[in-house]
Amino acid sequence: MFVCVLSCFCVRVSRPPVCQPYSHGAMNLSGPHPSYPQQYGVQPSMQQMTNQMSGMQVGSGPLTSAGPGYAPPPSSEPPISAAYSAAAPPSYTQAPHPVSGAPSQPPPPSEPAAPQPYYDGPPPSQQQPFPSSAPPPSQPFPSSSPYSGPPPSSQPRAPAVSRQQSFPPGPPPPVQQTFPNSAPPPVSQALYSGPPPSSQPGPFPPTFASPAQYPAAQPPSQPGPPHFHSGPPPQCPMPPPSMSQQQANPLPPGPMQQPPQPGMQGGYPTQQNGAFGQPRGPQPGYAGPQYPGQQNYGAGPAPTPAPTQKRLDPDSIPSPQASELPAVQKFRHRIDPDAIPSPIQVIEDDRANKSSEPFTTGVKGQTPPLVTTNFQVKDQGNASPRFVRCTAYNIPCTADMAKQSQVPLAAVIKPLAMLPPDETRPYVVDHGEAGPIRCNRCKAYMCPYMQFIEGGRRFQCGFCSCVTDVPPHYFQHLDHTGKRVDCCDRPELSLGSYEFVATVDYCKNNKLPQPPSFIFFIDVSYNAVKSGMVNIVCQELKTLLDYLPRENPEADSVVRVGFVTYNKVLHFYNVKSSLAQPQMMVVSDVSDMFLPLLDGFLVNVNDSRVVIESLLDQIPEMFADTRETETVFGPVIQAGLEALKAADCAGKLFLFHSSLPIAEAPGKLKNREDKKLVGTDKEKSLIQPQSGFYSNLSKECVAQGCCVDLFLFPNQYVDVATLGVVPVSTGGSVYKYTYFQAEMDRERFLNDLRRDVQKPMGFDAVMRVRTSTGIRATDFFGSFFMSNTTDVELAGLDCDKTVTVEFRHDDKLSEDTGALMQCAVLYTSCSGQRRLRVHNMAVNCCSQLADLYRNCETDTIINFFSKYAYRSLLNTPTKTVRDTLVNQCAQILACYRKNCASPSSAGQLILPECMKLLPVYLNCVLKSDVLQPGADVSVDDRAYLRQLLSCMDVSESHVFFYPRLLPLVKLDGGSLPMAVRNSEERLSKGGVYLLETGLYLFLWVGANAQQELLSNIFGTPTFSQIDPNMTSLPELDNPFSQRLREIIDSFRSQRSRYMKLMVVKQEDKAELIFKHFLCEDKSASGGASYVDFLCHMHKEIRQLLS
Amino acid sequence: MATYQEFIQQNEDRDGVRFSWNLWPSSRLEATRLVVPVSCLFTPLKERPDLPPVQYEPVLCSRANCKAVLNPLCQVDYRAKIWACNFCFQRNPFPPSYAGISDVNQPAELMPQFSTIEYIVQRGPPNPLIFLYVVDTCLEEEDLQALKESLQMSLSLLPPNALVGLITFGRMVQVHELSCEGIAKSYVFRGTKELSSKQIQEMLGLTNPSASGPQGRPAAPQDPAVTCRFLQPVHKVDMNLTDLLGELQRDPWPVPQGKRPLRSTGIALSIAVGLLEGTFPNTGARVMMFMGGPPTQGPGMVVGDELKTPIRSWHDITKDNARHLKKATKYYDALANRAAVNGHSIDIYACALDQTGLLEMKCLSNLTGGHIAMGDSFNTSLFKQTFQRVFSKDHNGEFRMAFGGTLEVSTSRELKVSGAIGPCVSLKAKGPCISENEVGVGGTTQWKICSLSPSTTLALYFEVVNQHNAPIPQGGRGAVQFVTQYQHSNTQRRIRVTTVARNWADAQSQIQHIESSFDQEASAVIMARLGVFRAESEEGPDVLRWLDRQLIRLFMFHLRRSPFLQVFNNSPDECSYYRHHFVRQDLTQSLIMIQPILYSYSFHGPPEPVLLDSGSILPDRILLMDTFFQLVIYHGETIAQWRKAGYQEQPEYENFKHLLVAPVDDAQEILQTRFPMPRYIDTEHGGSQARFLLSKVNPSQTHNNLYSWGQETGAPILTDDVSLQVFMDHLKKLAVSSAA
């Protein structure tokens, strides 16, 4: 229950007409920016924002109230309510009291005691959700420290300092309070009344207030809010001045720091505090440097304003140092970025709270740890979050509720996910010749939700309630509780995920499948040869073929391989083991593709090793002097398809392709890249495939179980949107290496290829999601093909592929039974066995919206939203897609505000604890290259990213949208340095940072980086001597270098694609690319900064509410 | 004066020409009454070891539509250095190089003994011979092995500079690239899709302009860099090709139970034709196709792949039940014409126990002068020897084959050309001496003969157009000139000119003379060719009736019974095969085909020819029958018993041993020279193979009349066919009645 209170222009409202554009009427934005989007783009907006912010006070006005508020804070709901009151910003900063939650707590802040009471409140709540974990923290509040290891520490300190100066007492306590709340995790509404809260760190506490969640808390909260609100006013006064200042300081940074804290707190009361603390933590890290840095950047002016009293508090709380003070001053003018919910804080809190204990799946409706947290999973009857993540773990009972909240109900399923070594992979269950036992009516597979009755002779289906006889061979007696005696011995009765051995009935044509085949298609046209690709592929294949996937690591792989090269004709190779030399068979009749040979095309690697090696040696030679520049593409896939048909097996095609297929052949493409269309209604035509040819082809591929992986090496437009159709529809992947250069990109390509070849996968798969009565899977996103509305057909399904499923109500659900979901994937393993993998998931149903908001996962929601939006691009103008997204999020938040948050002033932005990052993430989605392309983003890049995202899991989409930025300070010990937020102002000139985007790694080197640091990393102490073209770091014999390389390696190993390392020197040209990923900043393509967007969001919400 | 017999023989030896009449009736009306038209058998490349070619160009008549060649029949004015064309009477000056001409210093072409003369001309660069192997891989392992060996062997027989190419086919068609090092490379085509010549060339990369880069258009057909990928000089690639042939696999596609293997013969041929068309148009080339079964897919398919559907029989054809017949025939016709236009000939070597579709494919060879050989298996000496004999050489060590021939016929005014029958196609050349009355391939004075051997013989039909009321003066002579241009196997271009003349005779006054000039053998063959030609296009019985209406002598009895006209007991393929050979062999061989020769070996005397009659089959005789296609040695009952008893092994019966060996030796002699290699059958009385003999002999004794004839001789034939005796009786009766 976080309440982020972003007080925006609260009080101010009246004042600055400016606000108008921005904010609801209330806002005081300085006028210039009329429309939202525009504003985004414009810096001024920032300023305005800040201005507004300044006007606003985050703080719950109620510092005073806070005291009393004590109670209130809870009421307010722990959540971080970020109140963006127009005035808000200031509130954060300024108001010591304002400290958001503060209002309620703030008062208490002074007194540690206060927190305790909270605790009381919270603990229970916590217990409910997480019996074990919760309690401890709460009480210990003091003890809580462990929780928020970092936070507390930081906070306390910081606060100490600052407070001492400004508000000695106030802040700290609130913090603590917050903790307790946070512990419970859930939600919260944070009330930040504009002004007051800001002033005091306390505001955060108020956040906890989320009454809804914790009954106990609630009461207080309610009262609380008002207080808060009231609070604001005081802050307001502050703002005005800030306004001016802010304007002066375009840069948010200075202020940011301070404010964020409050925001953070808002989020998770406790955690928030912690969070805040943490952020500071980092800040401290920078602190010294940062500040300066900030100043450098934008802050310049900021410092001057320096000391504002009120601000100080909040600021001070968060940011330990004096430097803050100046920040504070700046702050007034704008919203302090530090006052708004910080992803880093949330991540760190979650990590701190949830990584220690294994996550057990036995409890229904429990939200798993975030994807960024390392945790162990114990399967106790529900699928591990590694397999299934839901947007909400409490589903509204009725369609009306669901519609009202607008929270998407979806599950992100990664059926064949790889598990860490310490978790067991799903057990394989064999039910004998008759096949898996299933419900007679809905055909659900045996699972823990089947209720055995009549002494075990029959079972009732948990999905459709139909009663089915237990086959004799499966009969078992029941114990006194009605469970089967062998319940614990049978994975299908006790676990959430397991596999069945499928019988011949589950096979195509009622024939057990053949082992799959891999066929490599290498483009040997001029460009491909010249770029060095052909050579690299051939060299690599020689060794790679020993690592074909196998189930038994001891045995040889049974996967057969075949080779084809092509330009505008295809060359098949006969590599039969009995031949002395491979034979090439040219098929020039590309208009009507066929397979020229049968015997000797698909071979076992070991049998034909000599011939294959000879072939791979000769291919680069044979085509070294080629002058053929035209290529075909459709016939290549057709050839693979024919080969698999002829061999009667499933398989995977690896295409290494270089250029737009313009040779006369089916599937020939035109160059239709037309940048002028970008931003118009016709834009979608760039994303839609050029013709229906490839979608028809993919249908055939899917029917045969022919999965296509495409490696592209384009030098110009290749129409990824069209070429990607088949890979995307067949469960394959597209890899793109634009301007491929052997020396630069070799590693990335080879690592991708190795992983792609080796990774475990299933073939010829069909996935079916069954649900209990009341909801229904209605929509699917990912790389697959559907010929009807229920069966997801995947020619190939590898361990990285994710299918996102959206559910809708078709009836009422009952709180008693909850909702069940069973995802069954029938596939052929790489050894040719037919298997069924089953994942079960049970979630709670709720009749209170608050429960919904308390048990959802923003990362997953973002995953869903982005996939939904990216797909919508096919048929809808980009602008509409963006607007729809913003709208839906606004509705979600407005619904929360209306139904779950305690009443507060309209100037407050109140966010549910679980969703406090929704705005920042959503902004990242909106700013992504796909939805808001910059001038340098090619049509191909957009199509590529669009397709890429469609099968990302939550952790990938998370880092994709909100990259991880690590300051490389001290790299000792096993832990990673704490990440910092993605904003330029977080960068210190004197530091070196590692940024992970999921596709790339950037190593940003500040212009003033310490020599020692540079020596450690690059082996040279001179900034200017660093080679910006290096793709890997020198292997230096010092702990720092070793550790850094370890970190890089470990990052790479976590992603399904190899991330190329780019060294970016500050103020180098390449820095532009790097900055593009600093997603909290305004982007060059016109994307709004986080602060701006938050304000906009607030405005939207207020409009909805009014 | 020599007898006509001698005259005829002499003419044949010198000019390779045999006319049906050696005196020509001088008017159209009279000619028509003679029934057998003025016609001849002409063997363009008749072996003339005694004829050294001259090394200069022939002198042509300057009249545009005449262009006859200077010949011994021309009137020459040595002083004026002028000669008069004996066909159009145009007076032509001799070219400057003939300045020294006089009646004592004559060029060879004016000497009477050089009525046939051969010129060697220099025109363009010499073209190497081209051999393109088209090989069926849907064979039994054993067959394929034998074929591979034969092919490998053949490489050693080719001249080193000859170009070779290899196309293999089964379900797919593969064109093998021969120039590549390392990886063996082939272009593969699907066997079911018909491609235009242009497409084929594009797909083979023969017309790829980008390959030739900026240097304009070096992709001219003859550009060796382009063509060499598929057609390579033997000396360069024989190792490669030998290996390649050695590695040839049986078609790997599985053949399900109850199915025939899928054979894309039609496409394979069209690719072969397309390839040559694109690379070596108008150059002599030989496509040699080896097939082990009928085409079963794609255009040109003859039978479906379902084994339960048998290949068409005569019965199906008469009932119009042969589904693929018309389509396939049309397809191969078109191919054959394309190949013929470019001077490429197509051989078919078909070895299978069942039919292979020769009926549909016959025109491939018939129109292009290619060979057809038919056998049961590639693993038989029949095939191996035949194939080897294709590459036989003459006394100069040069191949007995020539390519890209054209035959042009000029006639004097009273005569016009009706047509030709033989392995040729019309060149559709217009000229003054074309008869409106078409016989065989007519409407032209020029024919293309893509491939020639010394025995290749055409039948040419003429029409006397002189009107009855415009008598030719006594002693007038009609002349015919045959000009054959061809590519000699040593790559020279040569022109052989044969000019012959015959006296005109007034049929009313000189009927006896005309009668005595009748060449019975030639006429029989000429009429038989006409019969066969008609049989190809008309219903069998109609042709018989037509033949019966024509007056014909003895031979016709056997001709009627021969497989050329009689389809009973012969599959459509066999008929096509027999007819194919009949219309191209020279007179002697043709006669053998019409009326097989029967020799008798016994203790009663030296070997002697005996009547082809069941009466000749006696127990104490060994018979050797030569039907051209078969050589049958038949041991009479007693002889067979003796042989079984092994008398020949005993020294005292050495004479018996000699007797046994004698026919075998004679047979060997025939086998040595005959092309295609005949089927050699050694059988005895009561042996199953004896049917070959029994089916040929005149059934003078049958089960019907067995007892009415003397018991002492002969063997009864179980047949309902009438005997020669009966046939003659009927014929006489008819002759009389029709005359009445």
Side-chain angles (χ1 to χ4, degrees), chain A residues 581-586 588-589 591-596 598-599 615 618 622, chain B residues 172 174 182-190 193 203 208 247 249 252-254:
Chain A
Q581 275 283 331
Q583 292 175 348
M584 176 204 264
M585 311 182 92
V586 184
S588 354
D589 186 4
S591 63
D592 193 6
M593 206 55 218
F594 62 98
L595 185 68
L598 189 58
D599 198 23
L615 171 68
Q618 293 187 55
M622 275 191 293
Chain B
M172 311 279 168
Q174 292 186 48
I183 290 184
K185 196 168 167 186
S186 59
Y187 283 67
V188 187
F189 295 81
R190 128 182 297 184
K193 189 176 169 192
M203 288 180 184
N208 187 352
E247 279 195 347
Q249 307 281 325
W253 299 87

Side-chain angles (χ1 to χ4, degrees), chain A residues 627, chain B residues 205-228 278-279:
Chain A
R627 307 184 65 169
Chain B
L206 298 178
T207 56
N208 187 352
S210 67
S212 58
Q215 316 92 314
R217 279 203 74 253
Q222 261 77 9
D223 179 9
V226 174
T227 54
C228 72
T279 51

Side-chain angles (χ1 to χ4, degrees), chain B residues 453-466:
Chain B
S453 76
S455 66
T456 303
T457 301
L458 276 73
L460 290 156
Y461 300 84
F462 303 95
E463 185 183 18
V464 178
V465 291
N466 198 39

Side-chain angles (χ1 to χ4, degrees), chain A residues 152-416:
Chain A
S153 67
S154 64
Q155 293 179 347
R157 295 173 192 165
V161 182
S162 62
R163 289 177 195 164
Q164 290 173 357
Q165 299 173 349
S166 55
F167 317 106
V175 175
Q176 295 174 349
Q177 295 173 355
T178 49
F179 279 103
N181 291 336
S182 65
V187 178
S188 54
Q189 311 161 336
L191 313 180
Y192 280 16
S193 55
S198 69
S199 64
Q200 298 179 348
F204 307 111
T207 47
F208 322 115
S210 68
Q213 296 185 344
Y214 305 72
Q218 291 179 350
S221 68
Q222 294 176 345
H227 295 295
F228 292 65
H229 297 300
S230 63
Q235 297 175 345
C236 306
M238 303 301 295
S242 65
M243 291 292 289
S244 62
Q245 291 178 352
Q246 289 177 354
Q247 295 175 349
N249 312 338
L251 302 185
M256 298 290 290
Q257 295 177 347
Q258 299 169 352
Q261 297 170 353
M264 306 294 293
Q265 294 178 355
Y268 272 90
T270 21
Q271 295 177 348
Q272 286 175 359
N273 291 342
F276 284 168
Q278 291 178 346
R280 297 173 187 173
Q283 293 174 352
Y286 311 31
Q290 278 192 350
Y291 257 109
Q294 294 178 350
Q295 294 179 354
N296 295 339
Y297 287 114
T304 59
T308 30
Q309 322 95 4
K310 299 175 183 177
R311 303 272 243 53
L312 295 184
D313 288 344
D315 300 345
S316 65
I317 299 171
S319 59
Q321 298 134 357
S323 57
E324 298 174 342
L325 296 180
V328 175
Q329 294 179 345
K330 315 165 185 175
F331 197 166
R332 296 185 180 168
H333 309 280
R334 14 132 104 206
I335 296 179
D336 178 352
D338 279 347
I340 52 182
S342 157
I344 305 301
Q345 185 66 56
V346 173
I347 290 168
E348 289 299 327
D349 286 350
D350 191 76
R351 188 171 286 157
N353 291 329
K354 296 196 179 171
S355 62
S356 51
E357 300 256 341
F359 175 74
T360 57
T361 66
V363 184
K364 231 179 4 178
Q366 188 186 9
T367 313
L370 295 181
V371 287
T372 44
T373 302
N374 285 321
F375 60 101
Q376 198 194 357
V377 181
K378 292 210 167 137
D379 188 341
Q380 294 187 344
N382 274 324
S384 154
R386 301 191 202 288
F387 293 123
V388 183
R389 272 185 182 267
C390 300
T391 53
Y393 289 83
N394 272 21
I395 300 184
C397 279
T398 65
D400 285 347
M401 268 178 80
K403 191 175 175 194
Q404 191 185 2
S405 75
Q406 285 287 320
V407 174
L409 303 178
V412 178
I413 307 175
K414 195 174 179 185
L416 300 186

